[in-house]
């Protein structure tokens, strides 16, 4: 819905400021609606569709999305307690066709064991309560159902060797985690690569990112950044091209899948 509203506004030739002047909708509210960070009230949606000159078919389709947004299958009761940007990310991920994820220090979330996820969350959120930690762990494990459903999510994840060498949760937790990666690599829809320390400096050292595309060609591709200053969703074509190019560079410098299996197996052997 957010993507379609942005498209309709662009097609009508309006800036956000002009829409605010025409409808009285707060500019910050409009921004949040277009970034999928807030669900528009029905009257707000109707006002936007009228200004944009939406067709009857578009009105019917978007009103159906708006009225059904409370019942999204990915939304669990406790998700209301999670950060808004994270629940938005879960929603996008649940609808994605392909996820390409680069991680410099963490095992990718879709590949984490429960014990590793708990240790990571406790480590990066030292002030979080037990309930908050467990809610995040549960959300992370539930997300992994995307990899086992019919027509599973296609996952291509690249991580720096630091992610598999750091003793998150201790030796036993990491040993189980690395074995989990080896198991995942047996699946045809999952590709994992590791960038070894010997590679030296590389494009991913600036930080983690996730690139998603979707089954519907009308849905724009998306890049997600989890930063200390807040979560960002990027959809501008120039940004998408930049991160796609970065991922291609990382694919080129990382070990191929078979060599990655060899490295992971050696880590397990060292720990046994």
């Amino acid at each position: 819905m957010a993507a379609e509203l942005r498209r309709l506004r662009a097609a009508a030739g309006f800036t956000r400021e002009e829409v605010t002047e025409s409808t009285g909708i707060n500019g910050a509210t409009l921004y949040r609606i277009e970034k999928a960070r807030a669900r528009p009230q029905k009257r707000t949606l109707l006002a936007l569709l009228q200004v944009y000159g939406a067709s009857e078919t578009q009105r019917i389709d978007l009103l159906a999305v708006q009225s059904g947004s409370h019942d999204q299958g990915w939304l669990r009761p406790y998700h209301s307690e999670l950060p808004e940007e994270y629940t938005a990310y879960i929603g996008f991920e649940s609808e994605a066709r392909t996820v390409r994820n680069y991680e410099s220090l963490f095992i990718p979330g879709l590949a984490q064991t429960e014990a590793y996820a708990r240790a990571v969350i406790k480590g990066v959120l030292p002030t979080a309560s037990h309930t908050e930690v467990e809610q995040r762990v549960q959300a992370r494990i539930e997300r992994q159902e995307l990899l086992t459903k019919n027509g599973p999510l296609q996952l291509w994840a690249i991580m720096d060797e630091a992610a598999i060498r750091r003793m998150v949760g201790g030796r036993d937790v990491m040993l189980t985690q690395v074995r989990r990666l080896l198991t995942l690599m047996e699946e045809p829809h999952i590709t994992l690569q590791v960038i070894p320390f010997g590679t030296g400096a590389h494009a991913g050292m600036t930080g983690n990112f996730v690139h998603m595309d979707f089954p519907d060609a009308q849905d724009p591709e998306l890049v997600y950044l989890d930063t200390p200053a807040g979560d960002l969703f990027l959809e501008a074509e120039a940004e998408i091209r930049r991160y796609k190019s970065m991922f291609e560079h990382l694919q080129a410098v990382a070990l191929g899948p078979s060599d990655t299996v060899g490295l992971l197996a050696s880590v397990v052997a060292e720990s046994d």
Side-chain angles (χ1 to χ4, degrees), residues 19-253:
V19 173
T20 295
E21 291 177 3
S22 299
T23 63
I25 297 171
N26 181 275
T29 298
L30 181 59
Y31 174 84
R32 291 169 67 81
I33 289 171
E34 291 194 351
K35 292 297 182 181
R37 296 185 178 184
R39 179 181 60 85
Q41 297 293 326
K42 183 176 181 179
R43 62 179 180 275
T44 300
L45 179 58
L46 287 171
L48 292 174
L49 295 176
Q50 181 175 353
V51 168
Y52 299 156
S55 69
E56 186 62 23
T57 299
Q58 290 168 329
R59 287 166 55 88
I60 291 171
D61 288 346
L62 287 174
L63 285 169
V65 172
Q66 191 274 343
S67 63
S69 60
H70 290 295
D71 303 317
Q72 297 175 65
W74 54 267
L75 191 63
R76 306 296 201 275
Y78 69 89
H79 281 189
S80 61
E81 305 299 323
L82 297 173
E84 187 174 313
E85 289 82 1
Y86 187 37
T87 57
Y89 176 83
I90 293 173
F92 286 127
E93 184 182 66
S94 71
E95 297 177 5
R97 175 181 58 190
T98 305
V99 165
R100 298 172 184 87
N101 182 194
Y102 167 72
E103 296 286 346
S104 58
L105 293 174
F106 302 103
I107 302 298
L110 288 171
Q112 293 178 7
T113 65
E114 182 173 337
Y116 179 94
R118 184 171 291 107
V120 161
I121 292 166
K122 285 182 177 179
V124 300
L125 298 174
T127 61
S129 68
H130 174 75
T131 298
E132 290 170 334
V133 170
E134 291 306 310
Q135 287 174 339
R136 286 174 177 262
V137 171
Q138 186 175 355
R140 191 159 300 180
I141 299 307
E142 286 173 352
R143 285 168 49 206
Q144 297 174 7
E145 295 172 6
L146 297 172
L147 299 176
T148 56
K149 67 176 184 176
N150 291 330
L153 176 71
Q154 302 290 313
L155 173 64
W156 195 310
I158 301 175
M159 66 202 92
D160 193 278
E161 187 174 349
I164 63 171
R165 295 290 185 182
R166 184 174 295 277
M167 287 291 116
V168 173
R171 175 185 170 278
D172 290 343
V173 169
M174 283 306 301
L175 182 58
T176 301
Q177 176 61 75
V178 175
R179 285 174 172 158
R180 165 71 171 159
L181 297 178
L182 286 167
T183 299
L184 288 174
M185 291 188 71
E186 297 173 1
E187 299 295 333
H189 58 284
I190 299 174
T191 302
L192 303 179
Q193 291 182 266
V194 172
I195 301 175
F197 287 142
T199 299
H202 59 78
M205 293 175 69
T206 54
N208 312 328
F209 64 92
V210 178
H211 168 243
M212 303 181 197
D213 61 36
F214 302 88
D216 190 336
Q218 296 299 315
D219 288 338
E221 297 176 39
L222 178 74
V223 167
Y224 169 77
L225 305 177
D226 181 2
T227 76
D231 298 357
L232 299 175
F233 295 95
L234 308 178
E235 293 176 292
E237 289 185 11
E239 296 286 5
I240 298 298
R241 285 196 303 271
R242 183 160 70 91
Y243 279 95
K244 288 175 74 171
S245 175
M246 189 184 302
F247 197 82
E248 290 170 358
H249 281 291
L250 295 173
Q251 287 174 306
V253 301

Side-chain angles (χ1 to χ4, degrees), residues 165 182 185 255-270:
R165 295 290 185 182
L182 286 167
M185 291 188 71
L255 296 175
S258 60
D259 288 335
T260 292
V261 168
L263 175 59
L264 295 175
S266 70
V267 171
V268 171
E270 291 167 11

